[in-house]
Protein backbone atom coordinates (compact mmCIF):
# COMPACT_ATOMS: atom_id res chain seq x y z
CA UNK A 1 0.00 0.00 0.00
CA UNK A 2 1.42 3.35 -1.08
CA UNK A 3 0.15 6.49 0.66
CA UNK A 4 1.81 8.95 -1.73
CA UNK A 5 3.55 12.22 -0.96
CA UNK A 6 3.73 13.16 2.72
CA UNK A 7 3.40 16.62 4.19
CA UNK A 8 2.45 18.17 7.46
CA UNK A 9 -0.32 20.74 7.41
CA UNK A 10 0.20 23.30 10.15
CA UNK A 11 -2.51 25.47 11.64
CA UNK A 12 -0.67 28.79 11.93
CA UNK A 13 -1.62 32.03 13.70
CA UNK A 14 0.09 34.42 11.26
CA UNK A 15 0.81 33.03 7.82
CA UNK A 16 3.13 35.91 6.93
CA UNK A 17 5.36 35.30 9.97
CA UNK A 18 5.27 31.55 9.37
CA UNK A 19 6.24 32.03 5.71
CA UNK A 20 9.32 34.05 6.70
CA UNK A 21 10.22 31.53 9.42
CA UNK A 22 10.14 28.57 7.03
CA UNK A 23 11.98 30.54 4.33
CA UNK A 24 14.73 31.09 6.92
CA UNK A 25 14.88 27.29 7.32
CA UNK A 26 15.47 26.95 3.58
CA UNK A 27 11.90 26.35 2.41
CA UNK A 28 10.39 28.18 -0.57
CA UNK A 29 6.79 28.63 -1.69
CA UNK A 30 5.76 25.68 -3.83
CA UNK A 31 2.01 26.24 -4.11
CA UNK A 32 -0.91 28.06 -2.55
CA UNK A 33 -2.12 31.62 -2.22
CA UNK A 34 -1.11 33.66 0.80
CA UNK A 35 -4.10 35.95 0.18
CA UNK A 36 -6.34 32.90 0.70
CA UNK A 37 -4.43 32.01 3.89
CA UNK A 38 -2.60 28.91 2.69
CA UNK A 39 0.84 28.08 1.32
CA UNK A 40 2.70 24.88 0.60
CA UNK A 41 6.41 25.30 1.37
CA UNK A 42 9.05 22.92 0.02
CA UNK A 43 12.65 22.10 0.90
CA UNK A 44 13.93 19.13 -1.11
CA UNK A 45 11.40 16.35 -0.53
CA UNK A 46 10.06 17.97 2.65
CA UNK A 47 6.65 19.66 2.39
CA UNK A 48 5.03 21.89 5.00
CA UNK A 49 1.57 23.33 4.46
CA UNK A 50 0.76 26.59 6.26
CA UNK A 51 -2.95 27.17 6.86
CA UNK A 52 -4.32 30.14 8.77
CA UNK A 53 -7.87 29.88 10.13
CA UNK A 54 -8.78 26.73 8.20
CA UNK A 55 -8.56 24.05 10.89
CA UNK A 56 -7.80 23.79 14.57
CA UNK A 57 -5.01 21.19 14.83
CA UNK A 58 -2.03 20.15 12.77
CA UNK A 59 -2.67 17.38 10.23
CA UNK A 60 -0.49 14.64 8.76
CA UNK A 61 -1.32 14.61 5.05
CA UNK A 62 -0.74 11.92 2.41
CA UNK A 63 -1.50 12.41 -1.29
CA UNK A 64 -1.97 9.11 -3.16
CA UNK A 65 -1.04 9.46 -6.82
CA UNK A 66 1.43 12.30 -6.31
CA UNK A 67 5.14 12.53 -5.67
CA UNK A 68 6.62 15.34 -3.56
CA UNK A 69 6.50 17.72 -6.53
CA UNK A 70 2.78 17.06 -7.21
CA UNK A 71 3.64 15.03 -10.31
CA UNK A 72 1.15 12.28 -11.06
CA UNK A 73 2.55 8.81 -10.43
CA UNK A 74 2.09 6.11 -13.07
CA UNK A 75 1.08 3.61 -10.41
CA UNK A 76 -0.41 4.24 -6.97
CA UNK A 77 -2.83 2.86 -4.41
CA UNK A 78 -6.22 4.56 -4.78
CA UNK A 79 -7.65 6.21 -1.66
CA UNK A 80 -10.64 3.83 -1.78
CA UNK A 81 -8.30 0.80 -1.69
CA UNK A 82 -6.48 2.35 1.27
CA UNK A 83 -9.84 2.95 2.94
CA UNK A 84 -10.90 -0.68 2.40
CA UNK A 85 -7.61 -1.90 3.86
CA UNK A 86 -8.07 0.26 6.97
CA UNK A 87 -11.68 -0.85 7.42
CA UNK A 88 -10.59 -4.49 7.07
CA UNK A 89 -8.16 -3.80 9.95
CA UNK A 90 -11.08 -2.35 12.00
CA UNK A 91 -9.60 1.14 12.00
CA UNK A 92 -12.29 3.73 12.64
CA UNK A 93 -12.59 6.41 9.96
CA UNK A 94 -13.79 9.91 10.79
CA UNK A 95 -14.70 10.72 7.18
CA UNK A 96 -14.82 8.32 4.24
CA UNK A 97 -14.36 8.56 0.50
CA UNK A 98 -17.35 7.47 -1.59
CA UNK A 99 -16.64 3.90 -2.72
CA UNK A 100 -18.85 4.42 -5.79
CA UNK A 101 -16.60 7.09 -7.31
CA UNK A 102 -13.23 7.24 -9.03
CA UNK A 103 -10.58 9.95 -9.11
CA UNK A 104 -10.16 12.67 -6.50
CA UNK A 105 -11.42 11.82 -3.01
CA UNK A 106 -10.31 12.03 0.59
CA UNK A 107 -10.70 10.37 3.96
CA UNK A 108 -9.84 11.33 7.53
CA UNK A 109 -8.85 9.25 10.53
CA UNK A 110 -7.16 9.76 13.89
CA UNK A 111 -4.12 7.92 15.20
CA UNK A 112 -4.23 6.47 18.75
CA UNK A 113 -3.03 9.82 20.17
CA UNK A 114 -5.73 11.85 18.44
CA UNK A 115 -3.53 13.22 15.64
CA UNK A 116 -5.50 13.89 12.47
CA UNK A 117 -4.47 12.03 9.32
CA UNK A 118 -5.80 13.23 5.96
CA UNK A 119 -5.46 10.98 2.92
CA UNK A 120 -6.22 13.38 0.10
CA UNK A 121 -6.09 12.11 -3.47
CA UNK A 122 -6.12 14.80 -6.19
CA UNK A 123 -5.92 12.53 -9.27
Amino acid sequence: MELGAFSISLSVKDIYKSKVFYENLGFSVFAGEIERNYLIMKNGNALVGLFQGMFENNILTFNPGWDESANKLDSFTDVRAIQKHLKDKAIKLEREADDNTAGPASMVLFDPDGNTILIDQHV
Side-chain angles (χ1 to χ4, degrees), residues 57-58 60 91 109-117:
N57 299 313
N58 299 329
L60 303 171
I91 295 175
L109 62 148
F110 298 107
D111 76 6
D113 296 300
N115 297 304
T116 304
I117 299 171

PDB file of all heavy atoms in Angstrom, residues 57-58 60 91 109-117:
ATOM      1  N   ASN A  57      -6.221  21.931  14.468  1.00  0.00           N
ATOM      2  CA  ASN A  57      -5.011  21.194  14.834  1.00  0.00           C
ATOM      3  C   ASN A  57      -4.147  20.927  13.608  1.00  0.00           C
ATOM      4  O   ASN A  57      -4.612  21.031  12.471  1.00  0.00           O
ATOM      5  CB  ASN A  57      -5.384  19.861  15.492  1.00  0.00           C
ATOM      6  CG  ASN A  57      -6.172  20.076  16.766  1.00  0.00           C
ATOM      7  OD1 ASN A  57      -5.800  20.893  17.595  1.00  0.00           O
ATOM      8  ND2 ASN A  57      -7.270  19.344  16.921  1.00  0.00           N
ATOM      9  N   ASN A  58      -2.916  20.551  13.856  1.00  0.00           N
ATOM     10  CA  ASN A  58      -2.026  20.148  12.768  1.00  0.00           C
ATOM     11  C   ASN A  58      -2.489  18.809  12.200  1.00  0.00           C
ATOM     12  O   ASN A  58      -3.098  18.004  12.908  1.00  0.00           O
ATOM     13  CB  ASN A  58      -0.592  20.041  13.278  1.00  0.00           C
ATOM     14  CG  ASN A  58      -0.084  21.366  13.804  1.00  0.00           C
ATOM     15  OD1 ASN A  58      -0.478  22.426  13.333  1.00  0.00           O
ATOM     16  ND2 ASN A  58       0.791  21.315  14.789  1.00  0.00           N
ATOM     17  N   LEU A  60      -1.406  15.409   9.597  1.00  0.00           N
ATOM     18  CA  LEU A  60      -0.490  14.635   8.764  1.00  0.00           C
ATOM     19  C   LEU A  60      -1.231  14.357   7.463  1.00  0.00           C
ATOM     20  O   LEU A  60      -2.341  13.834   7.476  1.00  0.00           O
ATOM     21  CB  LEU A  60      -0.121  13.318   9.439  1.00  0.00           C
ATOM     22  CG  LEU A  60       0.504  13.430  10.829  1.00  0.00           C
ATOM     23  CD1 LEU A  60       0.616  12.061  11.459  1.00  0.00           C
ATOM     24  CD2 LEU A  60       1.848  14.101  10.745  1.00  0.00           C
ATOM     25  N   ILE A  91     -10.006  -0.209  11.637  1.00  0.00           N
ATOM     26  CA  ILE A  91      -9.596   1.142  12.004  1.00  0.00           C
ATOM     27  C   ILE A  91     -10.762   2.074  11.726  1.00  0.00           C
ATOM     28  O   ILE A  91     -11.300   2.103  10.621  1.00  0.00           O
ATOM     29  CB  ILE A  91      -8.326   1.570  11.236  1.00  0.00           C
ATOM     30  CG1 ILE A  91      -7.162   0.671  11.688  1.00  0.00           C
ATOM     31  CG2 ILE A  91      -8.023   3.044  11.452  1.00  0.00           C
ATOM     32  CD1 ILE A  91      -5.880   0.885  10.931  1.00  0.00           C
ATOM     33  N   LEU A 109      -8.858  10.117   9.372  1.00  0.00           N
ATOM     34  CA  LEU A 109      -8.849   9.248  10.531  1.00  0.00           C
ATOM     35  C   LEU A 109      -7.956   9.860  11.590  1.00  0.00           C
ATOM     36  O   LEU A 109      -7.258  10.842  11.327  1.00  0.00           O
ATOM     37  CB  LEU A 109      -8.374   7.839  10.155  1.00  0.00           C
ATOM     38  CG  LEU A 109      -6.961   7.691   9.612  1.00  0.00           C
ATOM     39  CD1 LEU A 109      -6.391   6.341  10.037  1.00  0.00           C
ATOM     40  CD2 LEU A 109      -6.982   7.770   8.094  1.00  0.00           C
ATOM     41  N   PHE A 110      -8.009   9.297  12.788  1.00  0.00           N
ATOM     42  CA  PHE A 110      -7.162   9.755  13.891  1.00  0.00           C
ATOM     43  C   PHE A 110      -6.264   8.618  14.322  1.00  0.00           C
ATOM     44  O   PHE A 110      -6.689   7.463  14.388  1.00  0.00           O
ATOM     45  CB  PHE A 110      -8.013  10.209  15.082  1.00  0.00           C
ATOM     46  CG  PHE A 110      -8.903  11.375  14.776  1.00  0.00           C
ATOM     47  CD1 PHE A 110     -10.264  11.203  14.637  1.00  0.00           C
ATOM     48  CD2 PHE A 110      -8.381  12.649  14.609  1.00  0.00           C
ATOM     49  CE1 PHE A 110     -11.094  12.277  14.346  1.00  0.00           C
ATOM     50  CE2 PHE A 110      -9.202  13.727  14.314  1.00  0.00           C
ATOM     51  CZ  PHE A 110     -10.564  13.541  14.187  1.00  0.00           C
ATOM     52  N   ASP A 111      -5.007   8.944  14.655  1.00  0.00           N
ATOM     53  CA  ASP A 111      -4.125   7.920  15.201  1.00  0.00           C
ATOM     54  C   ASP A 111      -4.478   7.716  16.672  1.00  0.00           C
ATOM     55  O   ASP A 111      -5.340   8.427  17.218  1.00  0.00           O
ATOM     56  CB  ASP A 111      -2.650   8.272  14.939  1.00  0.00           C
ATOM     57  CG  ASP A 111      -2.074   9.364  15.830  1.00  0.00           C
ATOM     58  OD1 ASP A 111      -2.740   9.830  16.778  1.00  0.00           O
ATOM     59  OD2 ASP A 111      -0.918   9.764  15.580  1.00  0.00           O
ATOM     60  N   PRO A 112      -3.862   6.752  17.351  1.00  0.00           N
ATOM     61  CA  PRO A 112      -4.228   6.473  18.750  1.00  0.00           C
ATOM     62  C   PRO A 112      -4.059   7.654  19.701  1.00  0.00           C
ATOM     63  O   PRO A 112      -4.659   7.692  20.773  1.00  0.00           O
ATOM     64  CB  PRO A 112      -3.290   5.325  19.137  1.00  0.00           C
ATOM     65  CG  PRO A 112      -2.961   4.658  17.854  1.00  0.00           C
ATOM     66  CD  PRO A 112      -2.914   5.769  16.834  1.00  0.00           C
ATOM     67  N   ASP A 113      -3.243   8.644  19.324  1.00  0.00           N
ATOM     68  CA  ASP A 113      -3.029   9.815  20.169  1.00  0.00           C
ATOM     69  C   ASP A 113      -3.907  10.993  19.785  1.00  0.00           C
ATOM     70  O   ASP A 113      -3.741  12.091  20.323  1.00  0.00           O
ATOM     71  CB  ASP A 113      -1.553  10.223  20.117  1.00  0.00           C
ATOM     72  CG  ASP A 113      -0.668   9.121  20.701  1.00  0.00           C
ATOM     73  OD1 ASP A 113      -0.857   8.781  21.882  1.00  0.00           O
ATOM     74  OD2 ASP A 113       0.175   8.589  19.965  1.00  0.00           O
ATOM     75  N   GLY A 114      -4.816  10.788  18.838  1.00  0.00           N
ATOM     76  CA  GLY A 114      -5.726  11.848  18.441  1.00  0.00           C
ATOM     77  C   GLY A 114      -5.212  12.752  17.339  1.00  0.00           C
ATOM     78  O   GLY A 114      -5.850  13.750  17.005  1.00  0.00           O
ATOM     79  N   ASN A 115      -4.053  12.426  16.755  1.00  0.00           N
ATOM     80  CA  ASN A 115      -3.531  13.224  15.644  1.00  0.00           C
ATOM     81  C   ASN A 115      -4.361  12.959  14.390  1.00  0.00           C
ATOM     82  O   ASN A 115      -4.669  11.799  14.075  1.00  0.00           O
ATOM     83  CB  ASN A 115      -2.055  12.883  15.376  1.00  0.00           C
ATOM     84  CG  ASN A 115      -1.191  13.219  16.555  1.00  0.00           C
ATOM     85  OD1 ASN A 115      -1.162  14.355  17.027  1.00  0.00           O
ATOM     86  ND2 ASN A 115      -0.491  12.239  17.080  1.00  0.00           N
ATOM     87  N   THR A 116      -4.693  13.998  13.675  1.00  0.00           N
ATOM     88  CA  THR A 116      -5.496  13.888  12.474  1.00  0.00           C
ATOM     89  C   THR A 116      -4.627  13.460  11.297  1.00  0.00           C
ATOM     90  O   THR A 116      -3.546  13.998  11.085  1.00  0.00           O
ATOM     91  CB  THR A 116      -6.167  15.227  12.137  1.00  0.00           C
ATOM     92  OG1 THR A 116      -6.940  15.644  13.274  1.00  0.00           O
ATOM     93  CG2 THR A 116      -7.059  15.112  10.925  1.00  0.00           C
ATOM     94  N   ILE A 117      -5.129  12.486  10.538  1.00  0.00           N
ATOM     95  CA  ILE A 117      -4.469  12.025   9.318  1.00  0.00           C
ATOM     96  C   ILE A 117      -5.448  12.230   8.167  1.00  0.00           C
ATOM     97  O   ILE A 117      -6.577  11.726   8.206  1.00  0.00           O
ATOM     98  CB  ILE A 117      -4.052  10.561   9.414  1.00  0.00           C
ATOM     99  CG1 ILE A 117      -3.063  10.356  10.560  1.00  0.00           C
ATOM    100  CG2 ILE A 117      -3.463  10.060   8.080  1.00  0.00           C
ATOM    101  CD1 ILE A 117      -2.750   8.922  10.874  1.00  0.00           C
TER     102      ILE A 117
END
